[in-house]
Amino acid sequence: MPKKIIGLLVLAVMVALVIIGAVQNNMAESEALDNMALGSDVDFLPTDEGLAVGEKAPDFQLTTLDGEKVKLSDYQGKKVMLNFWATWCPPCRAEMPHMQSYYDEQAEDENVVILAVNLTTKDKGLGKIEEFVEEFGLEFPIPMDENGDVGSTYQAASIPTSYMIDTNGRIQNKVVGPMDEPMMEKLIAELE
């Protein structure tokens, strides 16, 4: 009889440790962005591509994950958050819930379009991209940079990289690294 009790106690302790580990893991994932350094505004010089503050954002046309054509210049008159990301990037994973929350709660009222360009040539295939979009419930357009040209033009070597583009189609900020919702709100509020 004592061996059964000891065995049950050992089993109960093991189950408790597994549960505690799972809870801690979930808490760590939900607080990933809090523990990660947020992105920062980057000072950047004029480039041949036109990426400096006040320059007209280089136009492009891509096809979204949903098969729709999007052209950056079609959004002139709106504020644009142009984001570059990939599914394997932990800071991108941390940032996406904040982008979706901003999109759900404020984007329409603030005249904001979010274009989250997937760096398709650097990602792990269409299936992984679709799983990522479903996992995070992303509803904003996901243009697919299938040739890598747009990411290259926008110098998205480190991801996530985001550009804040004003209603005149001019770049006002470049952020390298993840943003949280308050940072997005602040940068978008500064756009004309």
Side-chain angles (χ1 to χ4, degrees), residues 43-104:
D43 289 329
F44 45 106
L45 301 171
T47 64
D48 292 340
E49 293 86 1
L51 297 177
V53 171
E55 291 186 326
K56 192 88 163 165
D59 200 12
F60 62 84
Q61 179 174 309
L62 293 172
T63 302
T64 68
L65 190 58
D66 296 333
E68 295 179 31
K69 299 266 187 227
V70 294
K71 190 172 182 181
L72 181 61
S73 58
D74 288 345
Y75 296 104
Q76 192 153 335
K78 293 190 173 284
K79 300 172 185 178
V80 178
M81 182 189 316
L82 178 61
N83 176 266
F84 294 90
W85 66 281
T87 60
W88 50 263
C89 159
C92 299
R93 293 182 65 79
E95 179 180 62
M96 283 297 173
H98 294 271
M99 287 176 60
Q100 184 59 46
S101 177
Y102 181 87
Y103 180 80
D104 286 341

Side-chain angles (χ1 to χ4, degrees), residues 65 85 87 125-135 144:
L65 190 58
W85 66 281
T87 60
L126 187 59
K128 290 286 185 192
I129 297 165
E130 290 171 336
E131 286 174 20
F132 185 97
V133 168
E134 186 175 330
E135 176 184 348
M144 307 293 284

Side-chain angles (χ1 to χ4, degrees), residues 166-177:
D166 68 20
T167 57
N168 295 312
R170 299 197 179 282
I171 295 173
Q172 296 302 323
N173 295 94
K174 176 182 180 180
V175 178
V176 176

Side-chain angles (χ1 to χ4, degrees), residues 62 84 117-123 144-157:
L62 293 172
F84 294 90
V117 177
N118 174 264
L119 298 175
T120 314
T121 57
K122 297 180 180 178
D123 218 321
M144 307 293 284
D145 188 10
E146 294 177 346
N147 298 322
D149 297 338
V150 178
S152 178
T153 297
Y154 277 86
Q155 302 175 359

Side-chain angles (χ1 to χ4, degrees), residues 32-40 91 176-179:
L33 193 56
D34 293 339
N35 297 330
M36 194 177 295
L38 287 179
S40 59
V176 176
M179 295 183 289

